[in-house]
Amino acid sequence: MIKAIKSPKLYRRQSTFIFTGAIVSIGINFLFISANFKSVFIDVTPICMLLTLIVLYLGMFHMPKLVIVPIARDLLIENIKDIVIIVDSSNKIIDINPAGIKLIMSFKNKKFNIKQGMNFIGIKFNDLLKFVPDIKHVTTVSDTSNEYTITFNFNNKTFYYRVYKSSIFDTDKSEIGRLFTFHNITKMQEYTNNLKQLNDELLISYRIIGTAMEGILMTDASGNIIKVNDSFQRVSGYKKDDLIGKNPRILKSGRHDKTFYLNMWHSLSTNGYWEGEIWNKKKNGKIYPKWMSITSLKGSDGAVENYISISTDISKIKKTEDKLHSLAYYDLLTGIPNRTLFYERLERSLIRANDNKKAVALLFMDLDGFKVINDSLGHAAGDLLLKEVAARIKSSIRKSDTVSRLGGDEFTVILENVDSHEYVQAVSEVIIDKILLPYSILDREITLGVSIGIALAPYDESTVEGLMRKADAAMYDAKESGKGKYSFSSKEIEKRNQEILEMQIRLNAALHNKEFILYLQPQTAFDGNEFKIVGAEALIRWETADGKIFTPDKFIPVSENNRMIIPIGNWILEEIFKIDRILKSSGINIKLSINVSSKQFENNNLVSKIKEIFKENSPQNIDLVIEITESFLMQNTEKAIQNLQKIKELGIGISIDDFGTGFSSLSYLTRLPADYLKIDKSFIDDIANINHKNITPSIISMAKTLNLKTVAEGVETQEQINRLIDEGCDELQGYYFSKPLIISDFIKYIKQYNKI
Ligand code: C2E
Ligand code: CA
Ligand code: CA
């Protein structure tokens, strides 16, 4: 009844039907029971009552369905958002609902000829579809011939419609038309598309995480590991199953203290981020450094949901760093501390010494004879030697003491907690003795010495610089007093250094003041019968205004250092021409040798100067020989050969001085334009030795093979002369015959000797 009231139209129809039905039924009953209709002999009352009941039933229950359903269906089709189109058997549209018309009308533009008020009835279904822009059939998995999806683009947006097609059959089952329903699934499709894209992105993210070079570890809010990538597993050595559900603290190396982790958590909780270097432990127990960043991921409510750590193994970087550190502080060759670390350590030692009132000793060491070995045997051999020396010094001192290499063949030792002079002396002696033991380098037995200068803090000096200066000076003192010695710093050394400085200053004036003199030392040759003077070596002396005479070993090295050797060398060249003229004027025609310093070869000084002087003094026919040390030649092989070639072309003889100390090889000698080998004095001295090594015969026979003449220097005894003559030495020079003489004395001497 309530339904009926709510639907007055239906109620009216229902009431009318029931009322009319009931009246008709009652009317019929009356007719039959009245006397006028005697033809019916049965009582029709129950039939009429049944009829009334049927009317009531139909009216009550069927009436609404019969009335409402068609209305509702109409309404549905009219108002539904889906598009409904009915076509006949020839595909012509018989009906299209307003949603359909509305959609097609919305495409109204110039391209599509759609006019206002069109109802599309009678046009072909396929022609209607032509109004739809960019319509496409999209294949989906659920497609059938009666159910498929179409898309079209409109207003820069893609629309998706699911099409349902059903046939309309006549009573004889023949198809008389079709019903098309278009359901807009754009929203759903977009959602699906988004989902798909999200899924793809997720997939990519997962792949990135999985294959990332960085180790990635993810935990939940309470710190339990929920995910680790391959890289993390590879580096840590842990498998996924070892880690999932565990707390990352199982990776702790134990290298960081509590505050480290406190700081990390503080940064994470305040900034949501932490980054730094951290040491972790691998499954095999090995600890390794990594660079790690941790980020906290928060949910929409702001609470932390996950922590993600991304880490890179930086062991390699660390190693490089350590290497760089050791490059900065350690000597690459020997592995001992270098100059930088030495200064740092000395500084610290001095501070400590000051605190605990103990002394620090600084030993400054310079190898004796290293340069010659290095120049002649080559740098590789020199390097091996330095390594061995470093090891020997190291083995002579306590672990707490520092040995370092300052460069070249200079080493230092810092001795801490020194309480006696004797202790420092003992250590120095051990070092000297150890270094003196023979070395076997490149199948050769080599000996080497060391000179040690010692300065003590706080007695000599208490600063790094002061101590260095004192020890350095003491070292030179040790060298001067004979190699392989040690020397403590003293005031006298300082005085001597002062003298060297003064000498440098005075050297500058010496040339101008004509304070240099060339002495001549005779060189003799045995003609099978007697000795004759065949030449002389010019040896320089410096006579100062106050009557002091300096031998060249005092001032030549100094002049080489301040480059005074160039003008001095030029003066010697000019002077030797003068001497030759004086000798010739006295009827003396001999070969004259001069010594040339390696410094004179630099910048082609020597060659051009010789050419110039030759020109100036032409046509003087001088028999000149230049003496050049073997060790110098070994330093400058190619350049030296070229220069010597040029000198030789000028008709000057070349003599290799101090031969036998420089280890020059036979093959090298064959390339040199030399004329003389001057056998070093040490081998001549050796002749008189009981355990002599008998080197001279081999040098002489080698020189003969190379077509070189031999000159023995430093000949002092008859025994030496006998031997050398026996062995076939060409010329002899030494105190036995004469010391170097001034020219007037030399002329007297030669006239007498050669019976001129
Ligand atoms: P050097 O060229 O090997 O000269 C030989 C040195 O031995 C000379 O010393 C000479 O006086 C000395 N001597 C000669 N005979 C004997 C002997 O029988 N016994 C002993 N014990 N010694 C002997 P000096 O004159 O002091 O020269 C030393 C070095 O100075 C020379 O060694 C040479 O390398 C260098 N020198 C000398 N004069 C010059 C020069 O004019 N220019 C250059 N650049 N260097 C020179
Ligand atoms: Ca010489
Ligand atoms: Ca010599």
Side-chain angles (χ1 to χ4, degrees):
M1 271 314 275
I2 294 159
K3 277 186 204 165
I5 291 162
K6 276 191 176 168
S7 169
K9 194 176 168 189
L10 179 67
Y11 169 68
R12 248 179 278 127
R13 288 196 189 179
Q14 212 173 3
S15 322
T16 316
F17 176 80
I18 293 170
F19 182 73
T20 323
I23 293 296
V24 170
S25 173
I26 291 164
I28 291 168
N29 200 7
F30 267 113
L31 269 173
F32 280 108
I33 55 169
S34 68
N36 306 350
F37 283 94
K38 293 255 177 46
S39 50
V40 183
F41 301 107
I42 52 155
D43 186 0
V44 288
T45 309
I47 295 163
C48 285
M49 279 177 74
L50 192 68
L51 204 70
T52 312
L53 279 175
I54 288 168
V55 167
L56 269 171
Y57 170 78
L58 287 174
M60 294 277 281
F61 300 105
H62 278 274
M63 206 38 219
K65 198 171 139 193
L66 284 174
V67 178
I68 292 170
V69 169
I71 297 171
R73 284 195 176 175
D74 273 356
L75 265 172
L76 179 73
I77 289 170
E78 291 300 300
N79 297 317
I80 196 168
K81 288 237 170 66
D82 287 355
I83 294 153
V84 181
I85 296 171
I86 303 166
V87 298
D88 63 13
S89 53
S90 60
N91 262 334
K92 275 191 186 143
I93 295 170
I94 323 170
D95 195 13
I96 176 166
N97 71 343
I101 294 170
K102 194 178 159 202
L103 181 70
I104 302 289
M105 289 310 269
S106 69
F107 302 140
K108 198 174 91 174
N109 60 27
K110 285 209 176 95
K111 192 177 163 201
F112 305 113
N113 192 14
I114 302 168
K115 289 182 203 93
Q116 194 66 43
M118 274 175 84
N119 64 4
F120 310 106
I121 305 291
I123 68 166
K124 286 242 177 189
F125 180 68
N126 285 345
D127 292 339
L128 181 82
L129 293 184
K130 283 181 191 157
F131 294 130
V132 185
D134 291 336
I135 186 161
K136 273 186 205 100
H137 189 282
V138 189
T139 320
T140 67
V141 205
S142 54
D143 275 3
T144 63
S145 60
N146 292 326
E147 198 179 326
Y148 52 87
T149 305
I150 57 151
T151 67
F152 60 86
N153 289 315
F154 185 57
N155 285 345
N156 299 323
K157 194 180 161 185
T158 305
F159 290 85
Y160 295 83
Y161 276 79
R162 189 80 179 154
V163 183
Y164 303 91
K165 186 176 91 178
S166 27
S167 298
I168 305 166
F169 298 105
D170 201 359
T171 36
D172 60 357
K173 302 261 164 69
S174 60
E175 198 191 56
I176 50 164
R178 281 186 208 126
L179 175 74
F180 289 93
T181 323
F182 294 76
H183 180 61
N184 187 350
I185 56 162
T186 307
K187 278 254 155 56
M188 198 179 81
Q189 195 60 42
E190 275 173 356
Y191 188 67
T192 318
N193 287 352
N194 283 345
L195 261 179
K196 200 173 153 323
Q197 198 181 337
L198 228 97
N199 194 41
D200 287 352
E201 277 167 12
L202 252 172
L203 228 84
I204 291 168
S205 305
Y206 267 101
R207 260 186 226 146
I208 291 172
I209 291 170
T211 57
M213 292 298 288
E214 288 87 5
I216 298 172
L217 178 145
M218 197 167 167
T219 72
D220 59 16
S222 49
N224 298 316
I225 299 170
I226 53 171
K227 193 165 173 61
V228 284
N229 72 344
D230 291 347
S231 177
F232 193 93
Q233 296 174 63
R234 203 171 44 244
V235 174
S236 68
Y238 282 104
K239 287 269 149 288
K240 205 186 225 162
D241 299 338
D242 302 331
L243 294 170
I244 302 292
K246 303 267 167 56
N247 188 291
R249 75 172 69 93
I250 64 163
L251 305 164
K252 273 190 182 177
S253 64
R255 238 186 124 128
H256 306 288
D257 57 6
K258 240 187 186 155
T259 35
F260 176 87
Y261 292 102
L262 276 175
N263 286 341
M264 178 196 280
W265 281 108
H266 177 75
S267 171
L268 263 176
S269 57
T270 50
N271 312 320
Y273 187 75
W274 179 86
E275 189 174 35
E277 191 184 307
I278 189 167
W279 287 75
N280 269 178
K281 195 164 68 187
K282 297 190 181 196
K283 195 178 180 180
N284 62 14
K286 218 178 132 189
I287 63 169
Y288 68 109
K290 51 190 201 172
W291 187 261
M292 183 161 89
S293 68
I294 309 176
T295 315
S296 56
L297 297 186
K298 288 177 180 161
S300 48
D301 58 350
V304 172
E305 285 181 348
N306 298 102
Y307 293 101
I308 291 191
S309 91
I310 300 176
S311 52
T312 325
D313 184 352
I314 52 166
S315 320
K316 277 202 189 115
I317 299 169
K318 282 297 254 190
K319 271 197 193 120
T320 325
E321 226 176 68
D322 290 348
K323 230 191 206 153
L324 285 175
H325 177 266
S326 76
L327 270 180
Y329 286 108
Y330 290 88
D331 178 45
L332 209 58
L333 176 69
T334 58
I336 61 175
N338 67 5
R339 185 180 284 269
T340 315
L341 191 54
F342 159 71
Y343 277 114
E344 267 181 29
R345 295 243 174 116
L346 184 58
E347 185 115 13
R348 262 185 274 153
S349 301
L350 290 179
I351 293 167
R352 263 199 299 270
N354 189 42
D355 290 348
N356 52 26
K357 306 284 168 242
K358 287 267 172 111
V360 171
L362 171 62
L363 276 61
F364 196 102
M365 292 172 272
D366 188 276
L367 300 179
D368 304 327
F370 174 75
K371 204 166 151 12
V372 172
I373 294 165
N374 195 41
D375 292 342
S376 47
L377 285 189
H379 292 292
D383 286 354
L384 286 173
L385 207 54
L386 288 173
K387 269 188 179 170
E388 180 62 27
V389 166
R392 289 187 189 186
I393 301 173
K394 207 171 173 181
S395 71
S396 317
I397 57 172
R398 293 172 301 192
K399 267 220 163 84
S400 54
D401 298 329
T402 299
V403 53
S404 27
R405 182 176 169 224
L406 297 192
D409 59 349
E410 283 181 353
F411 292 86
T412 54
V413 163
I414 305 167
L415 301 177
E416 283 196 80
N417 297 323
V418 169
D419 41 24
S420 77
H421 230 246
E422 286 70 32
Y423 171 70
V424 183
Q425 227 165 320
V427 173
S428 304
E429 275 161 13
V430 169
I431 293 175
I432 290 172
D433 289 348
K434 276 203 180 170
I435 286 185
L436 268 174
L437 295 172
Y439 300 79
S440 151
I441 304 279
L442 304 178
D443 293 335
R444 277 171 194 258
E445 198 173 89
I446 289 166
T447 49
L448 199 66
V450 64
S451 300
I452 307 178
I454 305 159
L456 289 163
Y459 310 109
D460 292 316
E461 278 281 350
S462 45
T463 63
V464 170
E465 296 75 26
L467 214 55
M468 276 295 279
R469 198 161 23 85
K470 287 270 164 89
D472 188 38
M475 194 273 292
Y476 277 102
D477 179 59
K479 278 230 183 244
E480 283 193 359
S481 60
K483 291 169 178 179
K485 299 261 170 67
Y486 63 86
S487 181
F488 280 88
S489 170
S490 70
K491 287 267 176 332
E492 287 105 89
I493 299 166
E494 203 125 306
K495 218 171 96 197
R496 201 163 307 156
N497 281 346
Q498 195 58 38
E499 275 171 14
I500 290 175
L501 202 76
E502 275 169 26
M503 181 181 278
Q504 281 197 357
I505 299 162
R506 281 162 55 194
L507 259 176
N508 286 321
L511 201 59
H512 184 256
N513 297 339
K514 301 196 164 46
E515 291 176 358
F516 295 114
I517 308 166
L518 283 185
Y519 277 51
L520 296 171
Q521 188 177 33
Q523 293 170 325
T524 65
F526 188 65
D527 62 4
N529 204 12
E530 56 179 352
F531 281 100
K532 278 256 156 67
I533 295 170
V534 292
E537 180 184 5
L539 294 157
I540 197 169
R541 301 288 179 265
W542 177 15
E543 289 187 11
T544 59
D546 51 1
K548 269 191 211 145
I549 299 183
F550 290 112
T551 47
D553 49 297
K554 294 278 185 313
F555 63 88
I556 291 290
V558 180
S559 74
E560 281 177 335
N561 280 343
N562 72 355
R563 305 195 61 80
M564 271 299 288
I565 190 68
I566 308 289
I568 293 174
N570 291 343
W571 174 83
I572 292 166
L573 267 169
E574 283 165 10
E575 192 63 15
I576 203 72
F577 272 88
K578 271 189 203 161
I579 287 173
D580 185 54
R581 279 201 296 275
I582 295 169
L583 290 175
K584 279 192 171 115
S585 68
S586 301
I588 301 162
N589 243 310
I590 52 163
K591 161 176 67 105
L592 292 174
S593 302
I594 55 166
N595 292 284
V596 169
S597 154
S598 64
K599 289 276 184 305
Q600 288 174 264
F601 275 88
E602 287 169 11
N603 309 325
N604 291 331
N605 259 320
L606 188 65
V607 179
S608 51
K609 187 68 195 172
I610 291 175
K611 277 185 183 166
E612 191 188 309
I613 293 175
F614 263 65
K615 220 185 212 169
E616 280 171 12
N617 292 286
S618 124
Q620 189 179 340
N621 203 2
I622 188 170
D623 187 1
L624 188 64
V625 172
I626 66 159
E627 290 191 6
I628 183 148
T629 60
E630 188 190 17
S631 55
F632 159 70
L633 288 172
M634 295 313 296
Q635 286 170 54
N636 303 279
T637 45
E638 287 313 312
K639 203 83 206 269
I641 293 173
Q642 282 175 19
N643 273 314
L644 291 176
Q645 212 89 48
K646 285 183 197 157
I647 289 170
K648 177 121 192 174
E649 282 162 19
L650 294 168
I652 298 171
I654 289 156
S655 178
I656 298 168
D657 208 349
D658 301 346
F659 185 78
T661 56
F663 304 105
S664 54
S665 65
L666 194 67
S667 66
Y668 177 63
L669 279 176
T670 57
R671 297 176 58 212
L672 277 178
D675 303 284
Y676 300 91
L677 288 189
K678 241 183 139 172
I679 307 167
D680 191 63
K681 186 176 175 292
S682 58
F683 301 116
I684 310 301
D685 290 345
D686 185 59
I687 292 174
N689 217 315
I690 307 165
N691 305 314
H692 65 87
K693 295 199 177 78
N694 214 21
I695 306 280
T696 47
S698 35
I699 295 180
I700 294 165
S701 70
M702 190 185 81
K704 287 218 180 339
T705 357
L706 294 170
N707 233 347
L708 301 174
K709 285 196 165 182
T710 40
V711 182
E713 65 175 0
V715 178
E716 293 179 5
T717 66
Q718 187 64 52
E719 190 201 351
Q720 289 167 337
I721 297 171
N722 293 345
R723 277 273 198 99
L724 290 163
I725 295 300
D726 252 16
E727 290 161 4
C729 184
D730 297 297
E731 293 175 21
L732 308 174
Q733 175 187 351
Y735 291 174
Y736 181 88
F737 300 99
S738 171
K739 286 201 170 184
L741 303 165
I742 56 164
I743 182 147
S744 53
D745 288 346
F746 180 79
I747 293 173
K748 272 185 218 158
Y749 182 81
I750 194 174
K751 279 193 169 168
Q752 193 193 356
Y753 202 93
N754 282 5
K755 301 179 192 108
I756 303 170

